[in-house]
Amino acid sequence: MGAKSIAVLTSGGDAPGMNAAVRAVVRSGLSFGMKVYGVMRGYNGLLNGDLHEMSMRSVSDIIQHGGTALFTARSPEFNTPEGVQKAAATCRNLGIDGVVVIGGDGSFRGARDLTGAGVLCIGIPGTIDNDIACTDYTIGYDTALNTAMEMIDRIRDTTESHDRCSVVEVMGRRCGDIALHTGIAVGAIATLVPEIPYDFQKDIVDRMKAAQATGKKHFIVVVAEGVGKTQEITERIQKETGIESRATILGHVQRGGSPTLRDRVVASRMGYHAVELLQKSVGNRVVAMKGEQIVDFDITEALNMPRVFDENLYRISAKLSI
Amino acid sequence: MGAKSIAVLTSGGDAPGMNAAVRAVVRSGLSFGMKVYGVMRGYNGLLNGDLHEMSMRSVSDIIQHGGTALFTARSPEFNTPEGVQKAAATCRNLGIDGVVVIGGDGSFRGARDLTGAGVLCIGIPGTIDNDIACTDYTIGYDTALNTAMEMIDRIRDTTESHDRCSVVEVMGRRCGDIALHTGIAVGAIATLVPEIPYDFQKDIVDRMKAAQATGKKHFIVVVAEGVGKTQEITERIQKETGIESRATILGHVQRGGSPTLRDRVVASRMGYHAVELLQKSVGNRVVAMKGEQIVDFDITEALNMPRVFDENLYRISAKLSI
Amino acid sequence: MGAKSIAVLTSGGDAPGMNAAVRAVVRSGLSFGMKVYGVMRGYNGLLNGDLHEMSMRSVSDIIQHGGTALFTARSPEFNTPEGVQKAAATCRNLGIDGVVVIGGDGSFRGARDLTGAGVLCIGIPGTIDNDIACTDYTIGYDTALNTAMEMIDRIRDTTESHDRCSVVEVMGRRCGDIALHTGIAVGAIATLVPEIPYDFQKDIVDRMKAAQATGKKHFIVVVAEGVGKTQEITERIQKETGIESRATILGHVQRGGSPTLRDRVVASRMGYHAVELLQKSVGNRVVAMKGEQIVDFDITEALNMPRVFDENLYRISAKLSI
Amino acid sequence: MGAKSIAVLTSGGDAPGMNAAVRAVVRSGLSFGMKVYGVMRGYNGLLNGDLHEMSMRSVSDIIQHGGTALFTARSPEFNTPEGVQKAAATCRNLGIDGVVVIGGDGSFRGARDLTGAGVLCIGIPGTIDNDIACTDYTIGYDTALNTAMEMIDRIRDTTESHDRCSVVEVMGRRCGDIALHTGIAVGAIATLVPEIPYDFQKDIVDRMKAAQATGKKHFIVVVAEGVGKTQEITERIQKETGIESRATILGHVQRGGSPTLRDRVVASRMGYHAVELLQKSVGNRVVAMKGEQIVDFDITEALNMPRVFDENLYRISAKLSI
């Protein structure tokens, strides 16, 4: 029983650790006796037949590299019923009965549709933003966190030498997790996230003045991309506190780099779990992490789950960084 | 009610992230209106009165530093009934009714004894080895993992250029967690841990030959300190496989370095939780992490829990690295 | 003979390695039997008496830290004849007959003026931009180069995964050295510097198309801050080549971080050389690096030297990155 | 005139930056209209015909990787007159009239012999040890220095937390350059190099005690591999000073890792220079760095030059680290 021939692709924004997941899918599949295909540039590779059979050695020496060795791209054509049918036809022609899709919510919707067209699909959450509701953890998140933190550690050196305030924008359009955790790790005096409204006077200015009263002379403010207006916030801080303030937008640096151990290990575990599901002929599931366990959910249910922001940790962070 | 005046100390081997925990204890305590003392060089500081009152600024700019700003040392004197009484007397004289002890199992036994002498103690697990049974995570573990991994990534470059085998000894005397996770992250062909006996022929030589048959030319073998005999293993590999082999013992480098985000954030949460317990006049507890939750256990119960090695993950790792 | 009592200060923008220079000045001075003062926040510390005597231990464990432990600040008051006299008076009152000033050209003008007022001053070039004409090397330059390079290495991962072009702005207002060297190190298809005008079509678009014809699919363009218009350049590249393009401004991250070995060693050598000069009662000199030698120049002559951009290396870089 | 077809190989121990040199040779050669071959595993590839023609894209995305993409190996066969003739024959058959050899002194002797057999050879110094007399700088040296320094920075954290002494062995069998520069950069209390004999009491014990008298409590001693006996030295330090002491041998970690900017840029310049020489039909030369200039020497003369250790810098380092 079980899938005899599977494919793996990376879709949406790339994330460090995707290569570890691809490697785990390929090696697990081969160790279960499956044939495994690597699909190039997301769903596009299924549409235009850009995929090739993988061996144990096809994924050698990729675990330590950022980005994705399978490349990634958006695929407007796949987002049509015709596109889904065309991709399913590619799979049928090659005898591919299972596909592992590494990406975010958009990629999972594609996986659900392709399962509907007869090809068992398993989603693996891969996105640096940690913005997928069903899982505590997404591949790439730990690397992005550490990259952002190390960059702000560097900014701190110059901020401190000049008695300044640095306002730093980190990634996270809908999700404040990177900002919250980075803010704690760098000792930010204030952290602004899309999930929680802020009061400029109370949450920034008053906090800075209270800390100043205890002798603090340099400040870091972390702003999530989804809050934005980083330059405007910076100028207003300087105006209202009199402290020289500078803005930095960390940007795409946060997307790359050699994955941290956690990203490599979690991605390996998720990749293995995905293949185990296909071996049992199970499809339409998303692999997820709950605590330290790897679990899985129905894709449609997963897509409907509400994201929960850790407001308690947000409150604690305010007590520690003053 | 609750503790009015608390102290914090680091004991046993140092671990990256201890400073984040100290900072969290100091700032949480002050924010709850407590007086907070920093104790120097572990329990010794309680014996010889080497402790000082901390302010919000006493712990500024330490979150990003490895080691412990409170220093650490063994304390043979404290490990006697008289020593415990003397430490308790120091606390009484200064009005200290709670102590947070950051360290390993040995340090927790001290905390239990000091609680018995009338001073509420809370333990926080701080050791790079992750060798404390009651918790999924100990402070310093993530940094040590990433340091070991990055060092082996470097070794891999020269190993690959020369078509060699590198045998690398990582920390972990009783506990193979560093070896297991590092082995997965660097794609080790074999990982030897103290928890699981190995068969040289089957688990090392045969695996190397099977991988060689698929075209693999360079190999990493990870050995936990508790398994040891790294030089001997290296020579035997070279002799039995004919592949040039080199040994490296990573050693104390793994103990230091700026803590990773995870170590900073978990340490901050644990420090806060410890103070919350003292504020409720609770003592004799160890703070622990279960999944993503911060919980706590009775110290005596915690010390008696059996450590569980993740044999399932160990088996999966063998499937991925071939 | 020689100076009996000296002071050291850091002025202008901070740079990684300044601490190594301060440490070298303090320890060399003490080893020569001098009294040594550390001056806080640049020339301001001389104006308001914010300086303190240093011991061997005052500079312990700072060599590995970015920023400056003496802090830095602009000093409009010092830039007046009255300010200079006031600073000279502080020195006279404390018996300080020599001052080492670590900073850029602006700081050296202050050093020249203060020498004129009777206090022997020695300048040490400390600025990440490498924009000081008399020296091949300024403290902080190597760290900034490596930071910029590592950040662009990370950007490269995501650029490659998406077949994109990334346009990255690095520091260097008047001086293209960071851009030139970083461009070589990351394999930039084009590097724009303030010293050399560029032809958008020929130097960017045509080069990208030529490389594309050989199979290249992702591109890095490095732009020096002094060239600017990074967003505009990015949009124009996308429009004229059809390749999806993204801009990143690396910003203040490049100013901080633990100094590289080269910055620590060169700073140590320069600090020692500066004190040797003061010991011989020589003032009004700038310490400089020529090849691997530490030399010194008259400050006024140094300030009048023309900067020379390495146009030959710029031409070579274009041959290598295609 | 000039070479029409050239080859490039890496030989001896690998070094970070070799890939940048290979890339520069390939791209410079192609830009001069030459045909360029990449030779696998050092001189072996010339003996057994394991070489292939390179395009602009053959060296894409290797500049940031440690190790050598052409692999390296010893070649006992090549070290015979017959071996040299066989290699020369391979070159003649393929029309290769120039070879660039990246490696150390042993590799240069091979290049000299191969030039004697009618194939113009140019040597590029690539070895982390900086042990080649004719050049101020060898490819890989800067990366090895920074790796060693960063590892000792980590060791320092735990050394300081425990008030210990750490004795650290760095690479350098015949050459103390890595030890000297690393010792300065980490503030080692003593640095032992093969070029200068040491007096245990005066150079280690007395220095530690003098520093202890000023309040210093933790110590780093750096020992070059060529001095050795690191464990023995460590035990003797503990015995004679009473300070708890630990030994670490950094080992092969120092050979790998992504090259620093300096290694990438110098390697690029040297690779370009080597091809320029071949284009002028010049052979039997070693490319070298003098100050910031790229120059070249006759191979035989270069091999006979005496290495000069910077004793003056060694003396200065002793003044700064106390």
Side-chain angles (χ1 to χ4, degrees), chain C residues 195-253:
Chain C
E195 290 90 344
I196 300 195
Y198 66 96
D199 175 320
F200 200 92
Q201 184 65 33
K202 188 170 138 294
D203 295 325
I204 304 179
V205 177
D206 290 354
R207 286 182 62 77
M208 286 177 68
K209 290 192 172 162
Q212 221 176 5
T214 70
K216 191 169 173 67
K217 287 190 153 67
H218 61 279
F219 302 90
I220 304 284
V221 174
V222 171
V223 180
E225 189 186 7
V227 172
K229 299 187 184 172
T230 302
Q231 187 58 43
E232 194 181 312
I233 290 168
T234 307
E235 286 162 20
R236 195 167 158 199
I237 288 174
Q238 177 160 325
K239 198 175 146 210
E240 301 200 9
T241 65
I243 297 165
E244 194 181 15
S245 301
R246 298 290 169 90
T248 305
I249 295 171
L250 297 186
H252 271 53
V253 183

Side-chain angles (χ1 to χ4, degrees), chain A residues 6 8 17-32 34 36 54-56 58-60 62-63 70 100 102 124 139 263-276, chain B residues 184 313 316-317 319-322:
Chain A
I6 65 172
V8 56
M18 281 186 163
N19 284 327
V22 169
R23 173 181 175 274
V25 169
V26 170
R27 298 232 173 125
S28 306
L30 293 173
S31 82
F32 288 153
M34 299 170 176
V36 186
M54 310 286 272
S55 73
M56 283 291 182
S58 307
V59 289
S60 287
I62 65 169
I63 198 171
L70 296 178
V100 179
I102 307 164
I124 291 181
I139 296 170
D263 273 325
R264 299 188 197 183
V265 171
V266 173
S268 297
R269 295 173 67 190
M270 287 182 166
Y272 181 83
H273 189 91
V275 177
E276 273 193 321
Chain B
I184 295 173
L313 185 56
I316 292 174
S317 82
K319 296 213 171 122
L320 301 184
S321 303
I322 201 147

Side-chain angles (χ1 to χ4, degrees), chain B residues 18-30:
Chain B
M18 281 186 162
N19 283 328
V22 169
R23 173 180 175 274
V25 170
V26 170
R27 297 230 174 127
S28 306
L30 293 172

Side-chain angles (χ1 to χ4, degrees), chain C residues 83-322:
Chain C
V84 173
Q85 290 305 327
K86 192 169 166 191
T90 301
C91 292
R92 265 193 310 276
N93 293 341
L94 289 164
I96 293 169
D97 39 15
V99 176
V100 179
V101 173
I102 306 164
D105 279 350
S107 309
F108 296 161
R109 278 189 285 273
R112 181 196 55 196
D113 297 346
L114 192 54
T115 305
V119 183
L120 300 175
C121 288
I122 304 292
I124 291 180
T127 153
I128 63 163
D129 283 356
N130 205 37
D131 59 353
I132 297 179
C134 69
T135 184
D136 289 350
Y137 192 82
T138 59
I139 296 170
Y141 177 49
D142 191 56
T143 305
L145 286 172
N146 279 287
T147 302
M149 180 189 79
E150 287 168 21
M151 290 169 80
I152 303 177
D153 280 351
R154 288 178 180 270
I155 290 174
R156 176 210 290 267
D157 286 338
T158 184
T159 304
E160 183 173 2
S161 297
H162 287 271
D163 302 322
R164 277 184 190 147
C165 173
S166 284
V167 183
V168 186
E169 182 181 310
V170 300
M171 290 231 159
R173 219 163 288 184
R174 310 176 295 159
C175 173
D177 282 9
I178 291 181
L180 170 59
H181 284 82
T182 305
I184 295 173
V186 303
I189 190 79
T191 300
L192 310 183
V193 296
E195 290 90 344
I196 300 195
Y198 66 96
D199 175 320
F200 200 92
Q201 184 65 33
K202 188 170 138 294
D203 295 325
I204 304 179
V205 177
D206 290 354
R207 286 182 62 77
M208 286 177 68
K209 290 192 172 162
Q212 221 176 5
T214 70
K216 191 169 173 67
K217 287 190 153 67
H218 61 279
F219 302 90
I220 304 284
V221 174
V222 171
V223 180
E225 189 186 7
V227 172
K229 299 187 184 172
T230 302
Q231 187 58 43
E232 194 181 312
I233 290 168
T234 307
E235 286 162 20
R236 195 167 158 199
I237 288 174
Q238 177 160 325
K239 198 175 146 210
E240 301 200 9
T241 65
I243 297 165
E244 194 181 15
S245 301
R246 298 290 169 90
T248 305
I249 295 171
L250 297 186
H252 271 53
V253 183
Q254 296 163 87
R255 305 201 73 87
S258 180
T260 60
L261 180 133
R262 192 160 161 78
D263 273 327
R264 298 188 198 183
V265 171
V266 174
S268 297
R269 293 173 68 191
M270 287 183 166
Y272 182 83
H273 189 91
V275 177
E276 271 194 321
L277 289 172
L278 289 177
Q279 206 205 10
K280 296 178 207 155
S281 296
V282 174
N284 207 40
R285 305 290 289 179
V286 184
V287 179
M289 195 162 194
K290 284 289 165 190
E292 291 297 318
Q293 302 302 312
I294 304 294
V295 296
D296 51 90
F297 296 103
D298 177 85
I299 291 185
T300 308
E301 283 174 26
L303 289 170
N304 288 330
M305 290 180 189
R307 276 207 76 254
V308 182
F309 183 73
D310 190 343
E311 297 198 15
N312 187 42
L313 185 56
Y314 188 77
R315 270 189 299 272
I316 292 174
S317 82
K319 296 211 171 125
L320 302 184
S321 304
I322 201 147

Side-chain angles (χ1 to χ4, degrees), chain D residues 27-51:
Chain D
R27 297 229 174 128
S28 306
L30 293 173
S31 83
F32 288 153
M34 299 170 176
K35 189 180 278 199
V36 187
Y37 290 87
V39 182
M40 304 301 279
R41 296 184 168 81
Y43 289 109
N44 290 321
L46 288 182
L47 295 176
N48 53 31
D50 192 4
L51 70 176

Side-chain angles (χ1 to χ4, degrees), chain B residues 8 17-26 102 124 139 264 267-268 271-272:
Chain B
V8 56
M18 281 186 162
N19 283 328
V22 169
R23 173 180 175 274
V25 170
V26 170
I102 307 165
I124 291 180
I139 296 170
R264 298 188 197 183
S268 297
Y272 181 83

